[in-house]
Amino acid sequence: MTMPTKAQIFEHWMDWLDKRGLDWGEPCCWACKRHFDVKYDLNKPTAKRVDIISNWDSVPLQRCHIIARQFGGENVPDNLFLMCKSCHDRAPNTKSRESFLDWVEKQDYTSLVQEDIMRELRNFELFDRIVDVGEMLADKELMKRFFSNSGFHMNQARGGSEITLSSIFVQIAEELKRRK
Ligand SMILES: [Zn+2]
């Protein structure tokens, strides 16, 4: 069977998403609920159902198998789930639909970002500078500069093109050295 489109997968899961409080017009990852660039939003009252559904085809989410292919999982909407790249990379390979959906319930974008930041603090040995790092992360102008130094605009990075957090932390570490 050929792989269904993201719109077909979305259409199959609409009721389930609605029950979880996910907005059909504001595409996000179905696991961590991370939102994408505002350009994918279709929240205008005049949007037709067909537009809202087809909008999901353009969103940078990946089609992931619930029951893995090597365990006989099929390419049908009921066995497919839309997730961001980072959730897809961490998703369990399982024979159990129930276990997969239990894992989904535990995902949370804010705590994922926190874990990533903790890892980089460790990598760059910046735990004793945690207050300075926090201030720098909250400095929008500085972050804008760091993002564009890494070859991205901030909203592009949010839109799904992955920028590694370490690209930002390299610059934070350099900036702290300069300020010292
Ligand atoms: Zn995600």
Side-chain angles (χ1 to χ4, degrees):
M1 173 153 193
T2 53
M3 195 74 161
T5 64
K6 287 186 249 187
Q8 287 168 332
I9 297 166
F10 167 72
E11 192 171 14
H12 176 81
W13 287 86
M14 283 173 95
D15 287 340
W16 185 88
L17 294 166
D18 196 37
K19 278 185 202 122
R20 282 190 91 223
L22 276 78
D23 195 316
W24 294 342
E26 292 179 20
C28 69
C29 168
W30 296 357
C32 71
K33 298 183 178 174
R34 161 185 165 180
H35 273 273
F36 292 92
D37 192 284
V38 75
K39 73 186 170 195
Y40 301 109
D41 285 5
L42 236 175
N43 226 355
K44 49 178 186 266
T46 54
K48 295 195 189 81
R49 184 183 162 95
V50 63
D51 298 327
I52 288 170
I53 292 172
S54 68
N55 185 39
W56 283 78
D57 271 329
S58 64
V59 182
L61 288 167
Q62 301 186 345
R63 294 169 289 186
C64 318
H65 287 85
I66 294 178
I67 298 183
R69 260 178 303 192
Q70 69 261 45
F71 300 136
E74 290 183 87
N75 291 341
V76 292
D78 196 47
N79 190 47
L80 291 160
F81 203 81
L82 300 184
M83 289 193 284
C84 70
K85 183 180 182 299
S86 101
C87 285
H88 196 183
D89 287 346
R90 287 177 298 98
N93 246 18
T94 176
K95 295 176 185 172
S96 159
R97 181 186 178 87
E98 201 188 340
S99 306
F100 180 93
L101 292 174
D102 281 349
W103 174 86
V104 162
E105 293 296 337
K106 293 189 187 84
Q107 305 312 304
D108 162 20
Y109 185 51
T110 312
S111 64
L112 289 175
V113 171
Q114 277 168 357
E115 279 168 33
D116 287 347
I117 289 177
M118 294 308 269
R119 190 189 58 235
E120 297 307 331
L121 285 171
R122 212 164 39 237
N123 289 343
F124 288 95
E125 298 178 346
L126 291 172
F127 270 118
D128 55 336
R129 305 294 301 276
I130 200 158
V131 175
D132 297 323
V133 173
E135 275 170 17
M136 288 166 86
L137 287 171
D139 183 336
K140 279 195 186 132
E141 284 309 308
L142 190 68
M143 283 303 124
K144 227 181 255 177
R145 202 176 81 213
F146 287 177
F147 268 77
S148 60
N149 286 347
S150 314
F152 285 92
H153 296 296
M154 202 132 37
N155 56 354
Q156 254 179 319
R158 279 187 57 238
S161 335
E162 294 292 332
I163 181 169
T164 57
L165 193 59
S166 59
S167 320
I168 301 301
F169 265 81
V170 163
Q171 299 179 76
I172 288 178
E174 286 167 2
E175 180 77 15
L176 283 172
K177 242 178 244 165
R178 259 195 300 273
R179 286 182 186 185
K180 202 156 48 180

